[in-house]
Amino acid sequence: MPPGGWCLLCFGLVLSSVCASAESAAPSNLTTAPLNVLLIIVDDLRPSLGCYGDKLVRSPNIDQLASHSLLFQNAFAQQAVCAPSRVSFLTGRRPDTTRLYDFNSYWRVHAGNFSTLPQYFKENGYVTMSVGKVFHPGISSNYSDDSPYSWSIPPYHPSSEKYENTKTCRGPDGELHANLLCPVDIADVPEGTLPDKQSTEQAIRLLEKTKTSTRPFFLAVGYHKPHIPFRYPKEFQKLYPLENITLAPDPEVPAGLPPVAYNPWMDIRQREDVQALNLSVPYGPIPVDFQRKIRQSYFASISYLDTQVGHLLSALDDLQLANSTIIVFASDHGWALGEHGEWAKYSNFDITTRVPLMFYVPGRTAPLPEAGEKLFPYIDPFSSVQELMEPGRQVTDLVELLSLSPTLAGLAGLHVPPRCPVPSFHVELCREGQNLMKHFQVEDVEGDPHLRGNPRESIAYSQYPRPADSPQWNSDKPSLKDIKVMGYSIRTIDYRYTVWVGFSPHEFLANFSDVHAGELYFVDSDPLQDHNMYNDSQGKDLLRAFDAIFLANH
C-alpha cells in the first residue's frame, strides 16, 4: 500500500458514512455552500517572516498568503510550550482550565471532557483530517491525537519523524551526530526524505481525494520546522551567509530580570554540538560565532518550511479549491534566538509568546479568484528576483490564540460556541477566547467606530510554570508535581506585567498573596523588555490595577 494509503482508504469509507448523515449534521450556513478549512500549524515559529517586516528571512510563499489574508500583528500564545499551547487553542480553554502545564496528562481525563475545534467541525458534517504535528503526540492527546473524537480518519504522522532526534547529522569529523545544527543532504538521510516533506505530500493526496466529495473538509497540517533540531536540506543555508547574520539586539541577561523568569535552555544543551562548547549552567553565554550559526539555521529552517507551505497552497490552487477554502496560518508559540541570553521558548516574554496569525477567507479578505487565476502560485525562495509583497489588511489589536476556535466557527458559518461559565470543567462545549469576527467586517468597522473597539482595552494573557525561584535542570519543562511557582502575565498595548506567585499542583491553585517576583515593561520605551520597572515608583499605580485584573480572573 502506498504511503498514506491506509488514511486514503479510510477517507473513502468515511465519506460514505458522512454523506449518509449529512442532513442531520449539516453546517448551519444553508444559504451558500459551506467553506472548507485548511489549518496550518507551525512549531516554534516566531514572526520572523517577510510579511511581519523581517528584512532578512525569505518566506515568499507565506508572504503571498499574507497578501490575501487578514493578518494579526499582535497575536499571543497562552503558554510558550508545545502541548499546553496546542491543547489550549484546540479546545478554546486556558491552561488553568485544561490543567495541562506539562506533557503528562490528557485533558478529557484530567480536567474535563472538553470538545475540540476539529471535533466541533466533525459534529457539524465536516470530514476532519490531521497530518503531521497538530496535537502534541503522546499522553497529552491520549497517544491518538485525540482520536476518534477529533478526526474522521486516523491522523497521519510521517514515517521519517522517528529520526528527528537520532544521529543523522554529519559533523566536520565525517561521523553522524545528534546535533542542534543539522543541515542534511536528503539523499543521505534515512528513507531519503524529511517529515515536513512527507506531510506536504500526504496533505496534497488528501486534498485530491476531497475534490470528488460533496462534503466540506477540515484539514489540519502541522509542520515540525523550525523546531529543534534544525534538520533541513543543506542548500537552504546558502540563503543566509554567516556574514549577513546579526546577533540578537539584546543578547545579555537583563540585570533586573528575576531569576525565576529565566529559562536555562536545557534542551539545546543536550545536543552534541552544544555540549562540545562546554557552556556554564545556567547563564553561560554561547560563543558569538555559534550564535550566528544557530540563527542561520533557524532562518534556513523557516525558508524550508516556506517551500512546503508553497507546494501545499499551490496544490490547493490547482485543485480549484482556493475559492472555497478558509486558510489559517499560525504557530503554537515563538522562540528566543539569543534575546535576554535565552535560546528556547519557556518564558512569558513577547519573543516566545508572540506568534504569526493570519486568515484567508475567500471573497472576504481577498476577491474570489477569476476562472483560471492562481492566487497561490509556488514561489522559489532561491529566485534572484523576489517581488515585495505587502500583507493584506492588518490588525494591531492584541489577540490570543485562544480565539482561533470561535473565530473559525464563525467564519465557516457555524454557530459560535457560548462563553464558558466559571468554572467550566463540567461544560463540554464553550469558549474562553474572544470571537474575532468583528475584524473581518470591513465596511461595518470603517463606518461604525464602536465596532473598531479601543486597542487599549485588548489584553492577552499567558503563563509559565517553574519548579523553583532560581534556574535549575527542570526549569524549562517542570512536571506538574514539581511546579511551585506560576508566572501569570498580562500584555496590553502599553505594558507587559508578569507576577510570579506560589502555586499548588495538587489543588491547581495560585496564591496571589504569595508573590515571589514581578516584572513590568513599558512597550513604547522598552519594546525588547530589557528594563524591569516592577520595583520602580512609576509602576506602583499600574501594579495595583493589574493585580485587581489578575484576582478578578482567578
Side-chain angles (χ1 to χ4, degrees):
M1 187 169 288
W6 167 242
C7 280
L8 294 177
L9 176 61
C10 292
F11 183 85
L13 295 173
V14 165
L15 281 182
S16 301
S17 63
V18 169
C19 288
S21 59
E23 293 301 317
S24 62
S28 60
N29 183 3
L30 299 178
T31 57
T32 59
L35 291 171
N36 305 306
V37 175
L38 173 59
L39 172 61
I40 301 172
I41 301 172
V42 184
D43 212 348
D44 289 19
L45 176 65
R46 64 198 233 167
S48 292
L49 300 165
C51 54
Y52 278 88
D54 195 297
K55 304 298 185 186
L56 177 66
V57 172
R58 289 202 176 195
S59 53
N61 293 287
I62 298 170
D63 298 345
Q64 180 172 245
L65 172 62
S67 72
H68 300 299
S69 299
L70 181 65
L71 183 145
F72 290 87
Q73 281 284 354
N74 292 297
F76 292 88
Q78 277 48 79
Q79 188 176 329
V81 68
C82 303
S85 176
R86 288 165 186 258
V87 168
S88 173
F89 69 72
L90 288 169
T91 61
R93 317 281 184 118
R94 300 185 187 281
D96 275 349
T97 304
T98 66
R99 291 181 167 176
L100 181 68
Y101 313 108
D102 57 12
F103 298 80
N104 304 321
S105 67
Y106 181 41
W107 77 91
R108 293 187 190 272
V109 173
H110 201 60
N113 189 31
F114 308 144
S115 182
T116 69
L117 171 61
Q119 179 183 352
Y120 187 55
F121 275 78
K122 180 183 175 186
E123 291 169 352
N124 278 276
Y126 279 69
V127 178
T128 57
M129 302 167 284
S130 173
V131 172
K133 185 178 178 182
V134 178
F135 282 100
H136 191 87
I139 298 174
S140 63
S141 57
N142 202 34
Y143 297 101
S144 66
D145 296 281
D146 194 46
S147 289
Y149 299 101
S150 288
W151 310 111
S152 304
I153 62 176
Y156 170 87
H157 285 278
S159 58
S160 63
E161 195 174 272
K162 58 181 172 286
Y163 304 110
E164 277 292 280
N165 293 301
T166 61
K167 294 178 182 287
T168 57
C169 317
R170 197 165 298 281
D173 58 1
E175 300 297 319
L176 293 177
H177 299 274
N179 285 345
L180 173 66
L181 311 181
C182 191
V184 298
D185 184 336
I186 289 189
D188 289 345
V189 299
E191 300 186 28
T193 189
L194 293 173
D196 287 345
K197 189 171 183 294
Q198 285 186 291
S199 290
T200 299
E201 292 164 352
Q202 174 67 5
I204 292 172
R205 283 191 287 266
L206 290 173
L207 286 176
E208 289 168 346
K209 285 287 184 181
T210 68
K211 185 66 178 168
T212 60
S213 169
T214 58
R215 302 305 304 151
F217 67 80
F218 180 107
L219 172 60
V221 181
Y223 286 115
H224 282 265
K225 294 304 113 180
H227 192 287
I228 62 171
F230 301 127
R231 188 166 171 261
Y232 58 91
K234 63 182 182 182
E235 58 267 25
F236 286 90
Q237 268 190 328
K238 297 175 184 176
L239 294 173
Y240 304 98
L242 280 173
E243 58 268 24
N244 294 346
I245 303 298
T246 59
L247 301 179
D250 53 345
E252 305 296 331
V253 179
L257 186 70
V260 70
Y262 183 80
N263 78 78
W265 33 279
M266 299 303 292
D267 271 3
I268 76 165
R269 294 176 187 273
Q270 296 166 13
R271 311 288 166 168
E272 291 183 36
D273 50 351
V274 178
Q275 285 180 348
L277 300 174
N278 196 28
L279 305 173
S280 61
V281 179
Y283 299 108
I286 292 177
V288 167
D289 61 337
F290 201 84
Q291 288 188 39
R292 285 196 170 88
K293 290 178 180 178
I294 294 176
R295 291 170 69 88
Q296 175 194 48
S297 277
Y298 184 87
F299 300 146
S301 296
I302 292 176
S303 292
Y304 164 56
L305 158 75
D306 181 79
T307 63
Q308 299 309 303
V309 173
H311 287 307
L312 177 60
L313 296 184
S314 179
L316 188 84
D317 240 347
D318 291 341
L319 293 165
Q320 299 181 335
L321 291 168
N323 62 352
S324 59
T325 303
I326 298 168
I327 305 170
V328 183
F329 181 91
S331 168
D332 54 358
H333 44 70
W335 214 77
L337 288 169
E339 293 84 1
H340 311 114
E342 296 180 330
W343 297 89
K345 41 222 179 187
Y346 315 131
S347 81
N348 284 315
F349 286 120
D350 279 14
I351 201 70
T352 61
T353 56
R354 183 170 170 245
V355 295
L357 177 64
M358 62 189 81
F359 294 78
Y360 161 74
V361 186
R364 185 172 283 189
T365 63
L368 290 172
E370 302 283 344
E373 179 189 3
K374 290 200 69 171
L375 282 185
F376 307 113
Y378 177 77
I379 304 173
D380 185 353
F382 291 93
S383 171
S384 57
V385 179
Q386 293 285 325
E387 180 185 351
L388 180 63
M389 292 192 188
E390 293 294 330
R393 199 160 58 85
Q394 301 181 53
V395 174
T396 57
D397 287 11
L398 278 72
V399 300
E400 300 176 302
L401 276 184
L402 204 63
S403 294
L404 186 59
S405 291
T407 305
L408 251 183
L411 290 172
L414 305 182
H415 174 72
V416 176
R419 281 285 204 162
C420 290
V422 180
S424 64
F425 298 108
H426 61 291
V427 181
E428 290 188 17
L429 180 64
C430 65
R431 61 182 171 93
E432 293 182 352
Q434 297 274 353
N435 181 0
L436 304 179
M437 284 291 290
K438 69 177 183 180
H439 297 292
F440 294 85
Q441 299 165 1
V442 182
E443 296 84 1
D444 294 339
V445 170
E446 290 176 351
D448 185 347
H450 295 291
L451 283 176
R452 291 180 206 152
N454 181 354
R456 297 194 181 281
E457 293 177 357
S458 61
I459 297 175
Y461 297 88
S462 63
Q463 61 189 98
Y464 209 86
R466 294 283 190 241
D469 287 328
S470 297
Q472 59 185 45
W473 67 272
N474 63 340
S475 287
D476 295 346
K477 295 184 290 187
S479 297
L480 175 64
K481 64 180 177 59
D482 297 322
I483 297 172
K484 302 291 191 297
V485 185
M486 186 69 75
Y488 289 97
S489 194
I490 291 178
R491 176 63 155 85
T492 74
I493 195 171
D494 296 314
Y495 317 102
R496 177 172 286 285
Y497 172 48
T498 305
V499 60
W500 298 89
V501 300
F503 185 83
S504 167
H506 306 293
E507 299 175 324
F508 298 97
L509 284 178
N511 182 358
F512 283 86
S513 298
D514 179 22
V515 177
H516 291 229
E519 301 168 77
L520 176 63
Y521 306 100
F522 293 84
V523 172
D524 283 346
S525 60
D526 184 21
L528 301 179
Q529 299 167 6
D530 291 317
H531 305 287
N532 183 9
M533 306 298 288
Y534 180 77
N535 293 315
D536 191 87
S537 59
Q538 65 175 304
K540 294 301 181 185
D541 290 340
L542 279 173
L543 297 181
R544 281 192 288 270
F546 282 143
D547 286 341
I549 294 174
F550 274 130
L551 291 172
N553 284 277
H554 292 85

